[in-house]
Amino acid sequence: MKHHAPARAPRSVRAARKLAAVAAAALLAAPPVAAQAAPADPAPSRADVYKALGLNDQPADYVILVDTSGSMNQDGRYDTVRSTLGSFLGGMSPKDHVALFTFDSRPVPRYIGSAGDTAAIVSKLPGAPEPDGDTDIGSALDAALTELGRDQASEVASVVLITDGEHRPAAGSRYPEATGAPWTALRERARALAGRIELAGYALPLGTGATGADRLGDVVPNTTPLRPDSIQDLGSYLARAGERTQVRKAQRLLAEDVGKGVTAEWSGSGRTDVTDGTATGQLTLRSTTRRTPLVITGLSASTADPSVGLSGLPAELTLEPGQSRTFEVGLRGSLSGGPLPYHRAKEDDATLKVSGRVSTPWEQAFAPDVRLDTPQEVRVTAAAVPLRATVGSTAFLPSVLGGALLVLLAGWLWWRHTRRPPLRGELLVTTVFGEGFTDRIALTGRGVTLRPHSVGGRGRARGLRRKADTGSRVDLLIRYTPDGSTSRETDATCAPGGSVVVNGVKFTYLPGQRADRTSDAGRPR
């Protein structure tokens, strides 16, 4: 039996197989792909913040006024209110207090107690409006303020008014008109309540002619007209009223945190020794808020002294409300020895500087309803960083003293060279007119004491080096007193080869000559 070789695949197929093989090999050879970094924690939602604040544990008062006049039968308004009110009540905390009133010719309390059992509260509503009922909004608001004025009232209170008409009370009502003294009294009561609690109103007019809802704004200044376009919008507007109450709860809780931020202080004990160029100390960062978490980004610390730097803080830090964190930071550098770096122990208080942007993740969740006004900069409360170091060089003072001695020595040698040059020659002493014996005094050493025999008296002679056209010369400074007293002492300078007269005695200076003998009239000194 003859076997045939299998037919070859087309060229395009063979090329595709080669590319697939190369790709597979590359994938096998490639290192495993690193797991993607976990995404940053998303900013908390408003619901998250409410939970963190424990708003369900913060009670609020709700007074709900439902119009049950005959007109509420139109367009199924009353049935819609009954069904929608359940959702509104269901969003409350069991610790909230609910006072449900219906009103037509007069207000009737249907339920007063804690929230939580929505079905039980809604079941207290009458099955239908009162066909012949009037609309006494003034009496309904009177009942609401009375309820909120009780001793156990919460610090956050809301009045929700739902009506489809205008104020048209029955005969004998305390509020026969929409204005007047009774309404003024209501406003004063509401103002007094608002001074003790956080009071707000929400008016829901059902229908175009429901001008009675505006009466709530006349009594409670902080009133929001919700104005649904149709009865079907009632649910969303009631939900908005509940949300506004939650915001007011949060505002009240966070009032203490407005304008609060982060402080920093140097908390190390004693002075830190930076002689070796490296040391450690402690820096404490503290949140001053009571409920709001804070985040610091771009965190760093330094000192006002550029010769000493700080390191060791995290670039980003989260502080829980009231939390403080102490970090061990490194100090690098040492204190400057100053312009005179002599060896000594130096102490100094460097000024602490802390940089970073402070924010709170709650700011975005509450915007624009709640402003925390968190200071963006870290406030330094204890800015002194006590430091000590041994600075300067042990060789500095010896070098300075040695240099000073050299300068003094050079100055003395210069002075000696110019003011006390070696003397040579003779000094002739005689009377002015050249009569009598002449003393010949040899000039030696750097000065000569004069006791001339021929004229008497006493004196001194020393040299003064002076500049001359041909170089330098040594003049002779002669001091002489004829009777030996200092009061008659006079001096004069005599150039080489010249003569001077001092106190009636002539002195002649003969340089470069030596006397054959040294007279007793002149003695070197």
Side-chain angles (χ1 to χ4, degrees), residues 218-252:
D218 291 341
V219 174
V220 179
N222 186 20
T223 293
T224 303
L226 299 180
R227 300 191 181 282
D229 294 334
S230 66
I231 190 63
Q232 286 74 25
D233 296 325
L234 179 61
S236 62
Y237 278 89
L238 283 174
R240 186 180 301 178
E243 169 63 17
R244 288 298 304 164
T245 303
Q246 292 289 82
V247 169
R248 286 162 47 222
K249 283 185 182 181
Q251 285 175 327
R252 199 167 188 86

Side-chain angles (χ1 to χ4, degrees), residues 55 63 66 155 171 223 281 287 407 411 448 477 520:
L55 287 190
V63 178
V66 179
E155 294 182 350
T223 293
S287 166
V407 170
V448 176
L477 176 62
D520 290 338

Side-chain angles (χ1 to χ4, degrees), residues 20-97:
V22 170
L27 287 174
L28 291 174
V33 178
Q36 292 184 352
D41 292 338
S45 65
R46 187 171 288 193
D48 295 331
V49 177
Y50 288 163
K51 183 177 180 180
L53 285 173
L55 287 190
N56 286 340
D57 297 328
Q58 304 297 321
D61 271 13
Y62 291 89
V63 178
I64 305 171
L65 305 175
V66 179
D67 187 353
T68 52
S69 61
S71 59
M72 286 290 290
N73 274 318
Q74 297 179 13
D75 302 323
R77 292 171 184 168
Y78 185 71
D79 291 337
T80 301
V81 170
R82 282 175 54 90
S83 60
T84 305
L85 199 57
S87 300
F88 176 60
L89 294 169
M92 297 181 186
S93 165
K95 292 189 176 182
D96 290 335
H97 180 85

Side-chain angles (χ1 to χ4, degrees), residues 170-202:
S173 171
R174 295 175 56 191
Y175 303 91
E177 304 292 338
T179 59
W183 290 91
T184 301
L186 282 179
R187 283 192 290 271
E188 291 176 353
R189 289 170 59 190
R191 188 180 303 110
L193 275 175
R196 296 187 291 107
I197 64 175
E198 180 73 23
L199 178 62
Y202 301 95

Side-chain angles (χ1 to χ4, degrees), residues 204-379:
L204 283 82
L206 304 180
T208 56
T211 59
D214 296 336
R215 300 298 98 208
L216 178 59
D218 291 341
V219 174
V220 179
N222 186 20
T223 293
T224 303
L226 299 180
R227 300 191 181 282
D229 294 334
S230 66
I231 190 63
Q232 286 74 25
D233 296 325
L234 179 61
S236 62
Y237 278 89
L238 283 174
R240 186 180 301 178
E243 169 63 17
R244 288 298 304 164
T245 303
Q246 292 289 82
V247 169
R248 286 162 47 222
K249 283 185 182 181
Q251 285 175 327
R252 199 167 188 86
L253 287 178
L254 296 175
E256 299 177 66
D257 288 350
V258 174
K260 299 293 183 65
V262 175
T263 62
E265 64 179 7
W266 187 260
S267 53
S269 59
R271 292 192 174 273
T272 303
D273 196 318
V274 291
T275 300
D276 296 335
T278 57
T280 58
Q282 290 184 328
L283 177 63
T284 299
L285 296 165
R286 179 176 289 105
S287 166
T288 60
T289 63
R290 183 177 179 184
R291 293 182 172 88
T292 309
L294 300 174
V295 176
I296 315 172
T297 55
L299 180 61
S300 65
S302 61
T303 67
D305 187 344
S307 62
V308 179
L310 298 178
S311 62
L313 289 178
E316 183 172 328
L317 177 65
T318 298
L319 291 175
E320 296 302 323
Q323 182 186 18
S324 63
R325 294 277 304 274
T326 299
F327 296 91
E328 187 171 275
V329 296
L331 292 92
R332 186 170 298 276
S334 188
L335 299 178
S336 170
L340 297 176
Y342 57 93
H343 190 259
R344 69 193 186 279
K346 181 179 180 181
E347 293 184 352
D348 194 11
D349 290 340
T351 302
L352 175 66
K353 300 171 65 178
V354 179
S355 301
R357 185 183 185 278
V358 182
S359 61
T360 172
W362 289 4
E363 193 78 45
Q364 182 178 351
F366 277 127
D369 298 311
V370 180
R371 292 182 58 86
L372 293 172
D373 295 328
T374 302
Q376 294 187 1
E377 296 181 353
V378 178
R379 182 168 62 91

